[in-house]
Amino acid sequence: MAVTKDLHRRLAAILSADVAGYSRLMSEDEAATLAAVQAHQKELIEPKVAQHHGRIVKLMGDGLLAEFPSAVEAVRCAVEIQRTMHERTLGTSPQRRIAFRIGINIGDIIGVGDDIYGDGVNVAARLEGLAKPGGICVAHNVVDHVKAKVEFAFEDKGEKQVKNIAKPIRVFEVVFDEPPGGRVSRDIENPPLPDAPSIAVLPFANMSGDPEQDFLADGIAEEIITALARLRWLFVIARHSTFVYKGRAVDVRQVARELGVRYVLEGSVKTAGSRLRIIGQLIDAETGKHIWAEKYDGELRDIFAVQDDITERVVAAVEPHLYAEEGIRASNKPPENIDAWGLVVRALSLLNKLEQKRNQEAQALLRRAIEIEPSYARAHALLSWAIWWASLCYWYGDAREGYRQAAAHAHDALSLDPSDPWARMISGLCLSTAGHHDRALGELRTALNLNPSFALGHTAYGWALLRAGSFDEAIAETGKAMRMSPLDSFSGFYTVIHGLTLLGARRFAEALPYLRASVAAFAEYPGHYNTLISCCGHLGLIEEAKEFIAIRNRVGPKLRIGALQMNMSTFAHRDVFIEGLRKAGISE
């Protein structure tokens, strides 16, 4: 074979990269994957390689090969690529997220034209295959050259035998997602998980390209940390510990291990003119599962109002998801190993269904939790809520006795922990049901002061305001609750109370769609039908009302005005409610 004239040997640092899971991504959406990879190559990788005095030898569909005259520059380039890729893909779903694997080796290469060949190239490619998505693996000779010249640590992964390379390769992983100061000593063990559910809120990434917007991203993360810390059942890592990760591409599992938490909340902030977009996502660090993700768009006017609004909405969304995850976790344990906390979260997940059988099961779990830990305020508060709801739904037998029992457990909960927002909320509902409106509103305001992101608390407060005759305030509160919890995990409870407040204000046409949605969400609850029938009566929808009356009387005791008048005697919306029932044809 003729030897090409421009063939020559040289020593170089070789960087090999590819896209993890490229075949799967292409099979799911070929055009989108190809466009995204090409954009990352053109907008990120090519400029970074040039910035660090490297040369891209070739771009392949799923990766690239580059050479550098300096191993230090090769490693720094790789780290910057991986950190920036994390930021660029932060808002992408895990299934569609593109992550590069990078391998770096120092070796003798053969240059033929613009291309390079040799074992130095082959070893870099094998190292790339050993790297995790978003990670970097390097050969031992790279570590020898750069360890005193870069701020990154290296973790020895041992010798690896790889395909088509005669001798095993000593492999090191670049640790670039550590707090400043390098890797924590192996002699210091990571903190154990606390008994309570635990979470770390990472600094939100500023995706605006304007360093001056860092304060906005930092402010939102700090406000969320403060708001989550109000949830006394939740162990929240302090800001000073999480902000050491600011500006770094991190592996949330590694962060969680170092901080000793089960959940991690991360996000990004991007501004464009007066527009603002915030993305947040909650991750179970043990499994890597994404529990919740949401995107918030809005106008950037009053920065403090924006921070408050986003914080309330994020915490209102995150809290029920954490409860649900903890409930699932507890349900997977053997019954004899479930503690009082596990029983409570399982009970709450059952109560969210608002079904008679689930309610009875939840009451049994909560009574067991109280037996295990009599001073557990949240268990008493949730038992009060379960009994109160059962009484409202005609499930308790003697409703008056049910309300009395609910009030007693609410009193016990407050005695044990006056700062528990659930205890304050159910205490307020019990007082409202008994017609003690001023005291009820005071308790409910206290519940919301304790936890402003308590969506269910806002609905309860709106309900109490309605009964007290403050119709406009009631509509505002129940509307806020629905915005904070748009999926309404309480089986139509948020929508029916919002519809009821609109009905109380005689805004019947606005109320109708919410009341119809409530019946569709929870067809076994007679109370949803009562409000819908009254609304139909006011709007002259008599045929529709008759259909719902027939269904309503199959799922509960026959609807009669006399009993409702007595039960609602102290409620400000009683007259408009009864008027609609009469128009719908309900007899006295």
Side-chain angles (χ1 to χ4, degrees):
M1 182 180 76
V3 179
T4 308
K5 290 184 179 180
D6 58 355
L7 182 152
H8 59 280
R9 291 182 176 273
R10 59 183 179 271
L11 191 67
I14 306 102
L15 183 153
S16 177
D18 79 340
V19 176
Y22 183 74
S23 297
R24 176 187 62 80
L25 291 165
M26 288 290 284
S27 68
E28 292 175 355
D29 192 334
E30 187 175 272
T33 299
L34 188 58
V37 171
Q38 289 176 343
H40 293 316
Q41 289 173 339
K42 184 175 181 60
E43 297 168 13
L44 170 63
I45 295 174
E46 291 181 25
K48 287 293 183 187
V49 170
Q51 179 184 335
H52 289 275
H53 314 295
R55 177 181 75 90
I56 291 182
V57 177
K58 54 188 172 185
L59 293 171
M60 289 82 78
D62 65 337
L64 65 109
L65 183 66
E67 68 166 312
F68 296 79
S70 161
V72 171
E73 295 293 347
V75 172
R76 285 180 174 162
C77 178
V79 168
E80 289 179 20
I81 287 171
Q82 295 295 42
R83 282 179 173 168
T84 308
M85 276 299 298
H86 174 79
E87 295 175 3
R88 286 171 67 95
T89 60
L90 192 58
T92 308
S93 69
Q95 293 77 17
R96 296 300 307 163
R97 186 174 297 172
I98 290 173
F100 285 96
R101 301 179 299 180
I102 296 178
I104 301 174
N105 179 45
I106 297 173
D108 191 62
I109 59 173
I110 301 172
V112 180
D114 291 333
D115 212 341
I116 58 175
Y117 301 90
D119 279 350
V121 176
N122 296 336
V123 169
R126 298 295 175 251
L127 289 165
E128 162 216 293
L130 295 172
K132 64 186 179 184
I136 306 165
C137 281
V138 302
H140 69 93
N141 57 9
V142 174
V143 177
D144 292 341
H145 274 78
V146 310
K147 63 183 176 182
K149 302 170 187 175
V150 297
E151 61 274 29
F152 319 118
F154 298 88
E155 183 173 337
D156 190 345
K157 309 301 285 188
E159 291 192 340
K160 306 289 183 182
Q161 185 69 57
V162 296
K163 183 179 178 182
N164 295 334
I165 303 296
K167 295 182 179 179
I169 305 171
R170 185 77 174 274
V171 178
F172 290 79
E173 183 179 9
V174 183
V175 182
F176 57 90
D177 55 0
E178 301 291 336
R183 194 167 183 82
V184 177
S185 169
R186 288 297 177 188
D187 295 332
I188 302 175
E189 293 185 0
N190 291 328
L193 287 174
D195 293 335
S198 48
I199 189 170
V201 181
L202 295 180
F204 276 37
N206 173 18
M207 306 295 288
S208 305
D210 179 4
E212 292 186 5
Q213 294 297 329
D214 276 356
F215 80 95
L216 175 58
D218 292 350
I220 288 173
E222 289 174 15
E223 290 294 323
I224 291 172
I225 291 170
T226 302
L228 287 172
R230 294 189 182 196
L231 305 178
R232 298 185 65 188
W233 57 272
L234 183 62
F235 182 90
V236 183
I237 296 296
R239 174 203 184 279
H240 295 297
S241 291
T242 57
F243 267 63
V244 299
Y245 298 97
K246 180 176 169 61
R248 297 177 176 272
V250 297
D251 178 347
V252 294
R253 295 192 189 191
Q254 180 66 25
V255 170
R257 286 193 294 269
E258 290 171 1
L259 297 177
V261 295
R262 180 170 292 154
Y263 303 103
V264 172
L265 179 68
E266 63 176 357
S268 65
V269 177
K270 185 173 185 178
T271 58
S274 64
R275 297 292 297 170
L276 170 73
R277 169 166 291 180
I278 296 175
I279 295 172
Q281 49 192 8
L282 178 67
I283 301 164
D284 183 333
E286 186 178 5
T287 63
K289 181 178 73 171
H290 282 63
I291 299 168
W292 163 87
E294 192 62 77
K295 176 175 68 178
Y296 302 95
D297 290 311
E299 290 289 331
L300 186 60
R301 294 194 179 101
D302 182 342
I303 187 62
F304 297 110
V306 168
Q307 287 184 353
D308 290 346
D309 180 53
I310 294 297
T311 297
E312 282 192 0
R313 291 165 68 183
V314 169
V315 176
V318 165
E319 183 182 12
H321 279 87
L322 287 174
Y323 258 120
E325 284 299 310
E326 289 293 300
I328 293 169
R329 194 181 298 277
S331 67
N332 290 331
K333 293 181 179 179
E336 64 273 12
N337 292 343
I338 301 176
D339 57 11
W341 161 253
L343 293 167
V344 164
V345 294
R346 283 182 66 178
L348 185 58
S349 66
L350 293 169
L351 289 173
N352 286 352
K353 307 295 184 184
L354 296 185
E355 298 170 1
Q356 184 174 8
K357 182 180 178 183
R358 304 299 187 199
N359 184 284
Q360 291 169 346
E361 293 172 358
Q363 287 190 46
L365 291 173
L366 291 165
R367 294 183 193 280
R368 185 172 153 205
I370 292 169
E371 287 177 7
I372 295 172
E373 194 172 332
S375 62
Y376 196 169
R378 180 60 57 86
H380 285 280
L382 289 178
L383 181 56
S384 174
W385 166 253
I387 295 171
W388 183 88
W389 185 257
S391 304
L392 187 73
C393 293
Y394 314 104
W395 298 338
Y396 199 81
D398 184 344
R400 288 186 180 180
E401 175 59 19
Y403 287 132
R404 192 191 69 78
Q405 289 284 341
H409 282 286
H411 179 268
D412 290 342
L414 282 178
S415 299
L416 293 165
D417 187 355
S419 63
D420 186 291
W422 273 89
R424 291 288 179 182
M425 182 199 75
I426 189 59
S427 175
L429 280 177
C430 289
L431 289 166
S432 175
T433 302
H436 304 303
H437 300 304
D438 288 343
R439 291 170 59 196
L441 293 173
E443 290 281 32
L444 289 159
R445 278 192 291 268
T446 302
L448 294 175
N449 286 335
L450 291 166
N451 181 6
S453 303
F454 192 7
L456 184 61
H458 282 284
T459 289
Y461 185 38
W463 199 358
L465 285 166
L466 167 72
R467 291 169 164 181
S470 299
F471 299 130
D472 290 341
E473 288 182 72
I475 292 168
E477 285 297 323
T478 55
K480 184 174 186 177
M482 287 199 307
R483 188 186 67 177
M484 295 171 76
S485 184
L487 298 182
D488 185 3
S489 62
F490 282 90
S491 298
F493 182 61
Y494 292 7
T495 49
V496 76
I497 301 303
H498 185 59
L500 181 60
T501 60
L502 290 165
L503 184 142
R506 293 186 171 274
R507 291 160 60 173
F508 308 120
E510 294 176 62
L512 186 63
Y514 293 106
L515 299 175
R516 284 172 172 165
S518 302
V519 166
F522 187 22
E524 292 78 28
Y525 174 44
H528 285 357
Y529 291 96
N530 295 352
T531 313
L532 178 56
I533 291 164
S534 176
C535 190
C536 287
H538 280 293
L539 292 171
L541 303 173
I542 306 305
E543 291 303 316
E544 183 176 350
K546 287 180 179 178
E547 293 178 15
F548 287 121
I549 291 168
I551 300 171
R552 155 66 180 76
N553 289 337
R554 288 199 296 269
V555 299
K558 188 173 182 180
L559 179 58
R560 292 193 179 277
I561 286 175
L564 284 174
Q565 274 185 312
M566 182 175 64
N567 292 337
M568 299 176 67
S569 61
T570 62
F571 299 165
H573 65 293
R574 182 193 66 170
D575 291 344
V576 67
F577 193 90
I578 297 299
E579 178 189 346
L581 292 177
R582 286 197 175 108
K583 288 179 178 179
I586 300 299
S587 60
E588 298 293 328

